[in-house]
């Protein structure tokens, strides 16, 4: 097992290729590192400059007056081996190789040479062909992506570079706080399983999101992912989901088991939540990172419109979650203020005339009812109420209940005003969506995780015990 | 498991990627998979004697590394019910093979207990360089061929996995019993899946296994492999 402590809690970081040109990647990384607020020592390495961004520059890693923990390398690929040799000699522990031009373009030998050189000095390599890494607890943003990443509980590992950087931006826009962002690139040395092992025990991470293209050691991945699942959920987006199954094979089984079948099976057996799209993955991540887990499957849907309620209950049913009759106490509580024609089966329909106050009361009652395990709140924008006020009512109900002690997802359905309400809820870390289906599917992901965790726990205890 | 290693080694030394049927049964038997009683014979008298020992009805099949589709060359005779018929069947098979596959090398004729027809299921396994062995389960015939109604798990398959694999297929109700048919012996099927997983884990020389069909009898009566195919890594 790789010990990644010094990668995430380094005493010093050097940036090789820290150019004075503000358009160069090395410059951008150094800038992010300084401006995001990394508190320990930062050393720009640039033989052609005395100073970069106000910091004293060094001609090489070995000329830095102390052994550095992390060396971020952003120089052209052919120059990387000599940088690694020099950094290794100087006692650096991790090389984060941003440069591209290795295996991804066929330069297998160059990549091998880099890894062998690093190994010789006991140095571990992240990359090459990456956009860097982030670890918010140490205020490290060693990427050339967006600067102001929001600290939080999501660890995001991405094999895709461009999409990864873009999604970094998405986390900021969606208000999703991250513990780490790891651009994993060619995985010449450190791979997904190494990082999963770190995040398994990282107190700053409560969910792992992976954008996966492929893995090289499936058994190890399954083992590492299974151990993580027992403690925290993993959501995976896998590229190449629809690859045709038929392979040329001498057996029936061989021809039926396409490449994706292996991935799907590996995900299932390690309790990974397999998202079909980026949107779905982020929906689930929001729901999982901000919510506690439910005790059981007694879900209550609260709505002000029948249509939205049906869309949500169908989505839940698609996920194997059938709504049961709501608890009697809750119905009695809500009966006090809604009109007599309101349908208080599940979904609980507050009717189209529901003012914001009813949302407050209904959500508050559901949050405090011990026989409700989770809540999906739906709101269709009507002329009677403003979505932002409904958002406030929901937030107040949560606040007055002493915070979320059971999972809740919200859909505010409507136009621009609804979007404002969603933003407000999101800022308060209440997962909110623009459609009933997405709110319901995100809730289903939470319940699915609980089941997966149970399955993986049983499975591992069997394997451990036999 | 020395006998298994011996069989695999011999096949590889002889450049055969597919085990002969009696070899495949021997490998399965070593892992206590429920295979029919069987034996390899080389003359009609031996065929008669072994048939009687196994108990009628029996099936006779040609065993040759050069013949893939045994039925196409008249190399399979089913439902043999007497010693006399066993002798005749042996001679008929040899005659057919000499005519339709004159150059085929012949290892002998397999005499095998005829497994009574019942609900057919398939258990298979294939090996992947990244993930290792993958096990497959499905109902036989149209369910697997046309509907591809199968479930997968990676080895090692635990009892929890095996149970889920079986429940996961869409046609699971067929196994639970329908139209008055009693439920099938699910425990026996779980056992077959787990033993096949074990067999794959312990023998990296094996690329693929098909146990197809397996007859799934009613609960309490077990299941039996009616045909087997083991392919070695090339």
């Amino acid at each position: 097992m790789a010990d990644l402590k010094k990668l995430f809690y380094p005493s010093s970081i050097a940036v090789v290729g820290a150019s004075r040109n503000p358009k160069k990647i090395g410059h951008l990384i150094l800038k992010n590192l300084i401006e995001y607020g990394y508190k320990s020592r930062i050393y720009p390495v640039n033989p052609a400059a005395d100073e970069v961004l106000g910091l004293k520059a060094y001609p090489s890693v070995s000329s830095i007056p102390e052994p550095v923990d992390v060396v971020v390398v952003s120089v052209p690929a052919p120059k990387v081996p000599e940088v690694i040799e020099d950094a290794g000699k100087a006692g650096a522990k991790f090389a984060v190789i941003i440069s591209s031009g290795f295996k991804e373009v066929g330069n297998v030998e160059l990549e091998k040479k880099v890894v062998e050189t690093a190994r010789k000095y006991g140095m571990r390599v992240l990359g090459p062909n990456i956009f860097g890494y982030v670890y918010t607890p140490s205020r490290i943003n060693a990427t050339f992506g967006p600067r102001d990443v929001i600290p939080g509980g999501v660890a995001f590992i991405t094999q895709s570079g461009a999409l990864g950087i873009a999604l970094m931006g998405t986390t900021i826009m969606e208000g999703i706080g991250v513990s780490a962002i790891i651009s994993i690139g060619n995985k010449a040395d450190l791979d997904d399983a190494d990082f999963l092992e770190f995040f398994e025990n990282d107190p700053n991470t409560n969910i792992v999101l992976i954008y996966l293209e492929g893995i090289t050691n499936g058994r190890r991945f399954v083992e590492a992912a299974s151990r993580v699942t027992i403690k925290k959920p993993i959501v995976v987006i896998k590229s190449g989901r629809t690859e045709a199954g038929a392979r040329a094979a001498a057996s029936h089984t061989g021809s039926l088991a396409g490449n994706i079948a292996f991935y799907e099976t590996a995900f299932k057996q390690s309790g990974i939540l397999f998202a079909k799209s980026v949107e779905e993955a982020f929906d689930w991540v929001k729901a999982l990172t901000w919510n506690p887990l439910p005790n059981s499957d007694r879900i209550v849907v609260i709505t002000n419109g029948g249509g939205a309620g049906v869309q949500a209950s169908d989505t839940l049913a698609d996920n194997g979650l059938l709504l049961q009759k709501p608890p009697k106490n809750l119905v009695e509580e809500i009966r006090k203020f809604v009109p007599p024609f309101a349908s208080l089966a599940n979904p609980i329909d507050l009717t189209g005339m529901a003012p914001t106050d009813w949302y407050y009361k209904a959500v508050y009652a559901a949050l405090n009812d011990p026989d409700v395990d989770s809540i999906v709140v739906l709101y269709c924008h009507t002329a009677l109420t403003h979505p932002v006020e409904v958002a406030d009512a929901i937030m107040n109900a949560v606040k007055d209940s002493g915070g979320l002690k059971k999972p809740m997802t919200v859909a505010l359905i409507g136009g621009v005003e609804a979007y404002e309400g969603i933003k407000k809820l999101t800022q308060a870390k209440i997962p909110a969506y623009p459609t009933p289906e997405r709110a319901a599917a995100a809730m289903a992901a939470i319940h699915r995780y609980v089941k997966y965790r149970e399955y993986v726990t049983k499975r591992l205890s069997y394997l451990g015990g036999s | 498991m020395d006998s298994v290693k011996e069989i695999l080694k011999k096949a590889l030394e002889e450049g055969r990627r597919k085990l002969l049927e009696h070899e495949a049964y021997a490998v399965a038997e070593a892992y206590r998979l429920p295979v029919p009683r069987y034996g390899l014979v080389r003359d009609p008298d031996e065929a008669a004697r072994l048939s009687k020992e196994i108990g009628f009805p029996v099936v006779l099949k040609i065993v040759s590394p050069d013949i893939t589709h045994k039925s196409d060359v008249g190399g399979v005779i089913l439902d043999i019910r007497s010693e006399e018929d066993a002798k005749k069947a042996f001679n008929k098979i040899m005659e057919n093979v000499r005519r339709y596959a004159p150059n085929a090398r012949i290892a002998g004729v397999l005499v095998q207990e005829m497994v009574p027809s019942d609900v057919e299921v398939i258990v298979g396994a294939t090996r992947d360089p990244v993930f290792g062995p993958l096990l497959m389960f499905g109902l036989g015939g149209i369910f697997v061929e046309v509907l591809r109604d199968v479930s997968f798990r990676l080895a090692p398959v635990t009892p929890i996995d095996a149970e889920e694999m079986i429940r996961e297929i869409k046609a699971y109700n067929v196994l639970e019993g329908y139209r008055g048919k009693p439920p099938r012996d699910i425990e026996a099927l779980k056992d077959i899946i787990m033993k096949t997983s074990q067999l794959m884990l312990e023998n990296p020389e094996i690329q693929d296994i098909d146990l197809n069909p397996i007859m799934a009898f009613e609960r309490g009566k077990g299941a039996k492999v009616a045909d087997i195919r083991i392919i070695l890594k090339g």
Side-chain angles (χ1 to χ4, degrees):
Chain A
M1 183 180 156
D3 182 1
L4 303 184
K5 188 138 194 281
K6 284 288 168 192
L7 177 65
F8 291 110
Y9 297 96
S11 309
S12 52
I13 301 177
V15 180
V16 182
S19 169
R20 298 176 68 127
N21 178 347
K23 292 214 164 97
K24 292 275 187 186
I25 285 175
H27 181 94
L28 293 168
I29 291 174
L30 181 67
K31 191 162 183 275
N32 265 348
L33 201 51
I34 295 167
E35 291 182 357
Y36 193 65
Y38 174 62
K39 287 283 174 286
S40 273
R41 296 172 296 281
I42 305 173
Y43 299 107
V45 174
N46 180 345
D50 296 331
E51 188 198 292
V52 187
L53 288 167
L55 294 172
K56 178 176 160 47
Y58 295 82
S60 63
V61 175
S62 56
S63 61
I64 295 169
E66 64 166 328
V68 289
D69 287 330
V70 175
V71 177
V72 180
V73 183
S74 179
V75 297
K79 291 201 167 156
V80 171
E82 58 190 87
V83 172
I84 298 300
E85 179 75 39
D86 178 61
K89 257 188 217 151
K93 293 186 178 65
F94 290 93
V96 175
I97 305 175
I98 308 293
S99 323
S100 49
F102 294 89
K103 200 164 76 190
E104 80 282 6
V105 293
N107 280 336
V108 180
E109 285 308 311
L110 188 63
E111 187 163 311
K112 236 171 91 187
K113 190 173 168 197
V114 166
V115 174
E116 276 165 11
T117 308
R119 287 249 165 86
K120 197 167 68 183
Y121 297 104
M123 184 167 43
R124 301 304 302 260
V125 174
L126 172 57
N129 185 28
I130 62 174
F131 64 80
Y133 79 113
V134 169
Y135 192 59
T136 57
S138 300
R139 299 301 295 180
I140 295 169
N141 181 348
T143 72
F144 54 97
R147 183 188 65 195
D148 293 322
V149 183
I150 305 166
V154 182
F156 175 34
I157 303 170
T158 173
Q159 199 169 352
S160 167
L163 185 59
I165 291 195
L167 294 180
M168 238 177 122
T170 309
T171 66
I172 299 169
M173 191 188 70
E174 293 268 350
I176 298 173
V178 301
S179 56
I181 298 173
I182 311 293
S183 172
I184 203 159
N186 295 4
K187 308 187 207 183
D189 178 25
L190 294 171
D191 69 3
D192 311 84
D194 293 306
F195 287 98
L196 282 174
E197 280 168 359
F198 177 82
F199 294 130
E200 177 194 345
N201 296 311
D202 177 22
N204 302 303
T205 296
N206 70 10
I207 176 171
V208 182
L209 170 65
I210 308 176
Y211 184 92
L212 193 68
E213 283 167 1
I215 44 185
T216 47
N217 187 339
R219 294 281 293 278
R220 185 163 170 246
F221 179 83
V222 168
E223 280 164 22
S226 298
R227 285 198 306 274
V228 173
T229 290
I230 297 179
K231 296 182 182 166
K232 47 196 93 172
I234 303 174
V235 175
V236 163
I237 313 164
K238 165 82 179 75
S239 71
R241 204 161 44 75
T242 60
E243 184 185 354
R247 302 192 299 181
S251 78
H252 226 77
T253 310
S255 64
L256 280 163
N259 188 40
I260 194 66
F262 282 91
Y263 279 94
E264 274 177 351
T265 307
F267 296 161
K268 192 181 292 173
Q269 258 166 304
S270 40
I272 286 174
L273 299 161
F274 182 17
K276 301 275 182 280
S277 66
V278 168
E279 176 184 280
E280 198 170 63
F282 276 82
D283 280 1
W284 297 355
V285 162
K286 272 201 283 192
L288 283 157
T289 190
W290 293 334
N291 271 308
L293 295 175
N295 292 324
S296 181
D297 283 347
R298 293 169 305 178
I299 306 171
V300 161
V301 176
I302 297 170
T303 182
N304 66 342
V310 172
Q311 290 310 109
S313 44
D314 274 352
T315 304
L316 291 168
D318 281 344
N319 287 282
L321 295 161
L322 300 177
L323 292 177
Q324 301 157 20
K325 258 174 61 182
K328 228 174 87 206
N329 289 343
L330 180 66
V331 173
E332 276 167 18
E333 196 56 41
I334 293 174
R335 180 75 69 205
K336 287 179 191 162
F337 56 85
V338 294
F341 58 83
S343 163
L344 302 189
N346 205 358
I348 293 172
D349 190 347
L350 303 176
T351 76
M353 60 193 277
T356 50
D357 178 44
W358 292 5
Y359 266 95
Y360 172 86
K361 285 183 188 164
V363 172
Y364 182 84
L367 282 169
N368 289 288
D369 191 314
D371 294 322
V372 173
D373 296 314
S374 63
I375 311 163
V376 178
V377 185
L378 311 173
Y379 165 78
C380 300
H381 187 190
T382 68
L384 297 173
T385 45
H386 193 286
V388 172
E389 285 165 10
V390 172
D392 282 332
I394 294 169
M395 282 159 59
N396 287 334
V398 170
K399 199 170 73 198
D400 295 347
S401 313
L404 279 178
K405 295 192 177 66
K406 59 186 78 169
M408 182 165 83
T409 59
V410 180
L412 301 183
I413 306 134
V416 181
E417 300 95 329
Y419 178 72
E420 283 170 37
I422 290 171
K423 237 170 100 180
K424 192 146 193 205
L425 286 166
T426 301
Q427 275 158 6
K429 295 189 166 51
I430 295 170
Y433 308 90
T435 68
E437 295 87 353
R438 285 172 65 183
M443 181 54 75
I446 298 177
H447 285 265
R448 189 156 66 249
Y449 168 63
V450 174
K451 285 198 184 65
Y452 282 5
R453 187 178 62 165
E454 198 181 317
Y455 163 66
V456 173
T457 305
K458 273 201 272 182
R459 191 169 183 273
L460 287 195
S461 79
Y462 178 86
L463 289 173
S466 68
Chain B
M1 295 301 147
D2 290 348
S3 59
V4 172
K5 290 292 174 204
E6 280 299 312
I7 292 168
L8 301 180
K9 198 172 145 228
K10 182 161 179 274
L12 289 170
E13 275 168 7
E14 290 172 12
R16 289 185 284 122
R17 277 199 64 204
K18 185 178 171 226
L19 292 190
L20 297 171
E21 205 165 338
H22 65 290
E23 294 173 326
Y25 276 137
V27 168
E29 211 175 12
Y31 280 83
R32 295 171 49 225
L33 282 158
V35 297
R37 277 163 289 169
Y38 71 95
L40 192 70
V41 298
R42 286 177 183 84
D43 64 60
D45 289 336
E46 223 185 329
R49 206 167 47 244
L50 185 62
S51 298
K52 191 180 172 210
E53 199 184 306
I54 286 173
F56 298 105
V58 294
V59 181
L60 262 61
K61 299 181 201 171
I62 188 71
V63 178
S64 160
D66 303 315
I67 299 173
T68 319
H69 300 290
K70 295 181 278 258
S71 303
D72 295 358
V73 297
V76 181
I77 298 180
L78 304 171
D79 203 18
I80 296 156
R81 291 172 177 269
S82 70
E83 289 175 69
E84 197 51 37
D85 285 350
K87 279 186 199 174
K88 278 190 204 156
F90 182 94
N91 289 329
K92 181 77 187 157
I93 284 178
M94 293 314 256
E95 194 186 312
N96 287 344
V97 170
R98 267 195 296 272
R99 181 183 307 163
Y100 297 112
N103 300 319
R105 292 164 292 170
I106 291 168
V109 169
L110 186 82
V111 179
Q112 179 197 308
E113 166 196 356
M114 186 148 140
V115 181
S117 278
D118 213 311
V119 174
E120 293 186 4
V121 305
I122 166 170
V123 170
T126 186
R127 189 183 303 277
D128 181 80
V130 171
F131 290 98
L134 177 87
L135 279 291
M136 184 184 86
F137 175 79
L139 287 194
I142 183 169
F143 292 102
V144 56
E145 309 265 347
V146 181
L147 303 173
R148 301 172 78 95
D149 180 16
V150 291
S151 59
F152 299 104
R153 286 293 182 284
L154 295 170
V157 174
T158 67
I160 305 126
D161 295 311
E163 172 90 30
E164 290 216 346
M165 261 179 105
I166 294 170
R167 286 180 176 274
E168 209 172 279
I169 59 165
K170 293 187 194 78
Y172 172 69
N173 285 345
V174 173
L175 298 172
E176 275 285 275
Y178 71 112
R179 289 201 182 173
K181 251 193 144 175
R184 300 296 101 190
D185 199 327
I186 305 268
E187 286 306 312
L189 300 179
K190 277 170 65 177
D191 192 57
I192 292 174
I193 297 172
M194 285 187 288
K195 283 172 174 162
T196 309
S197 160
Q198 187 75 3
L199 170 57
M200 287 298 281
L201 283 174
E202 289 176 7
N203 299 284
E205 303 92 332
I206 299 177
Q207 172 59 40
D208 288 343
I209 298 178
D210 277 339
L211 305 174
N212 181 28
I214 298 164
M215 296 302 170
F217 306 129
E218 63 187 79
R219 187 174 295 161
K221 296 192 174 166
K224 198 163 265 186
V225 176
D227 204 352
I228 185 167
R229 178 187 292 213
I230 297 182
I231 311 285
L232 305 182
K233 266 205 282 203

